[in-house]
């Protein structure tokens, strides 16, 4: 069977209902509409969606802080996982961010699937933030990137 056509594009306010549905099915603490609006208004932010057959099935949020690209959110609907969408969104965000030397993120220490995902892309754990999520610690993960090199 042919692979479905995937389109990656910038998120708009009109995408919020679909994006919040993705979040609601993927995240233990999904963002409210107010948080999403604030993030989308940030001049440092970049937010992308992946569409399959015209339907939003995944999203990524990032913030550029100096030469670091911080991943603030990433979610792929369960039925679309393990098809490369997470990796494609991360790569697309990096390609659209000039001058990033490092990608940094926090992930729940008990989120084994996401940790394995980031490790598969070359990320390493560089620290922990105790009780960052209240009920769980955060693992801080980081990947150095060079503009000349395709890392994943
Ligand atoms: C983590 C997440 C974004 C990964 O998205 P995805 O589209 O399934 O990831 P990809 O298909 O691009 O995976 C790339 C590689 O990562 C690794 N990987 C991804 N998910 C994995 C898992 N659950 N277990 C082990 N390895 C995994 C694999 O090596 C995979 O390559 P392969 O499928 O060829 O073996 C997705 O599982 C998700 O939305 N999880 C819930 C939300 C979440 O935890 N977000 C992260 C918050 S920090």
């Amino acid at each position: 069977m042919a692979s479905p056509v995937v389109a990656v594009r910038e998120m708009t306010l009109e995408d919020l209902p679909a994006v919040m549905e993705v979040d609601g099915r993927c995240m233990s603490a999904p963002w409210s509409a107010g948080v999403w609006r604030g993030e989308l208004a940030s001049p440092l932010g970049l937010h992308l969606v992946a569409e399959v057959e015209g339907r939003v099935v995944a999203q990524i949020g990032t913030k550029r802080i100096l030469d670091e690209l911080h991943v603030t959110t990433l979610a792929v609907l369960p039925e679309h996982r393990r098809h490369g969408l997470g990796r494609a969104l991360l790569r697309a965000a990096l390609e659209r961010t000039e001058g990033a030397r490092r990608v940094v993120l926090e992930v729940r220490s008990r989120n084994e699937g996401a940790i394995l995902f980031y490790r598969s892309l070359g990320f390493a754990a560089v620290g922990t933030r105790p009780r960052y999520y209240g009920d769980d610690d955060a693992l801080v993960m980081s990947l150095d990137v060079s503009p000349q090199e395709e890392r994943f």
Side-chain angles (χ1 to χ4, degrees):
M1 198 170 76
S3 309
V5 177
V6 177
V8 173
R9 61 167 175 80
E10 290 212 15
M11 192 186 295
T12 67
L13 279 175
E14 285 69 46
D15 293 315
L16 275 196
V19 163
M20 289 178 68
E21 198 185 317
V22 172
D23 250 23
R25 291 187 53 206
C26 297
M27 302 304 215
S28 49
W31 289 354
S32 67
V35 170
W36 270 112
R37 285 176 194 282
E39 292 294 310
L40 283 172
S42 164
L44 303 175
L46 171 70
H47 299 83
L48 305 174
V49 292
E51 285 179 321
V52 171
E53 288 155 8
R55 176 177 171 231
V56 172
V57 300
Q59 54 80 8
I60 189 169
T62 65
K63 255 191 192 140
R64 177 169 169 194
I65 300 170
L66 302 174
D67 62 354
E68 292 186 344
L69 183 68
H70 288 247
V71 179
T72 53
T73 181
L74 173 62
V76 177
L77 280 179
E79 60 271 30
H80 289 276
R81 289 183 193 160
R82 304 304 289 264
H83 293 154
L85 287 181
R87 179 173 31 209
L89 281 172
L90 207 44
R91 185 187 289 153
L94 202 47
E95 280 169 1
R96 286 163 163 83
T97 306
E98 238 173 77
R101 310 291 301 185
R102 188 172 308 113
V103 187
V104 182
L105 57 94
E106 279 108 10
V107 57
R108 284 177 177 267
S109 73
R110 293 198 285 263
N111 190 348
E112 200 183 335
I115 292 168
L116 288 169
F117 164 73
Y118 291 120
R119 280 199 198 285
S120 83
L121 304 184
F123 283 78
V126 294
T128 52
R129 298 195 204 287
R131 304 196 67 76
Y132 183 82
Y133 298 103
D135 60 344
D136 196 1
D137 299 343
L139 202 58
V140 183
M141 300 189 80
S142 169
L143 172 72
D144 288 344
V145 289
S146 128
Q148 287 82 33
E149 231 181 293
E150 189 166 282
R151 290 303 303 262
F152 48 81

